[in-house]
Amino acid sequence: MRITPKTPEVRVPRLVGLMAVDARETAEARGVLLAAPDRPDFPRTVVDYVVRQFPQPGAEVPRGAVVTVWFDLGDAEGGAGVREPRPLRPPSGGLRRELELPGDPFEVLR
């Protein structure tokens, strides 16, 4: 834990890419507080990664200011998951549905 001098202004640390537990420790060491609006269980969150933060890293804020962070949803919580390649084919219907199949071109008409 790094102890910062007791100045009225501190710089916001870069938290994006850190796990929740590391982000909390880094914020505490730099003299800012963390809030996570998308995680009501934030104090118990450990391994989720920070994907966004506000204010941006390097901004000067008053000591004890709140930095808001957002986390990656992960695999089990509604993420996009793995996308499979799909075969390229025209959608059903279209011309196949609109046109009749051709008959015998040499059919004798009476």
Side-chain angles (χ1 to χ4, degrees):
M1 175 186 275
R2 191 172 92 174
I3 299 176
T4 59
K6 298 294 181 186
T7 58
E9 299 282 319
V10 294
R11 291 200 182 267
V12 175
R14 179 175 172 79
L15 303 171
V16 174
L18 297 179
M19 289 192 311
V21 66
D22 296 331
R24 282 193 300 270
E25 289 176 2
T26 302
E28 181 182 338
R30 295 289 183 94
V32 294
L33 303 173
L34 287 186
D38 61 341
R39 294 297 169 113
D41 61 340
F42 177 62
R44 295 185 308 254
T45 304
V46 177
V47 295
D48 293 336
Y49 288 89
V50 176
V51 295
R52 192 167 47 127
Q53 76 179 68
F54 183 80
Q56 296 297 319
E60 286 192 14
V61 296
R63 179 173 294 283
V66 175
V67 176
T68 305
V69 293
W70 290 268
F71 292 93
D72 184 18
L73 293 177
D75 294 335
E77 297 182 3
V82 177
R83 302 247 181 218
E84 298 177 7
R86 297 190 178 200
L88 297 174
R89 60 184 140 173
S92 61
L95 290 176
R96 190 176 302 154
R97 184 177 65 192
E98 297 295 326
L99 300 176
E100 296 179 12
L101 294 176
D104 183 12
F106 302 107
E107 182 180 337
V108 177
L109 298 175
R110 298 177 201 198

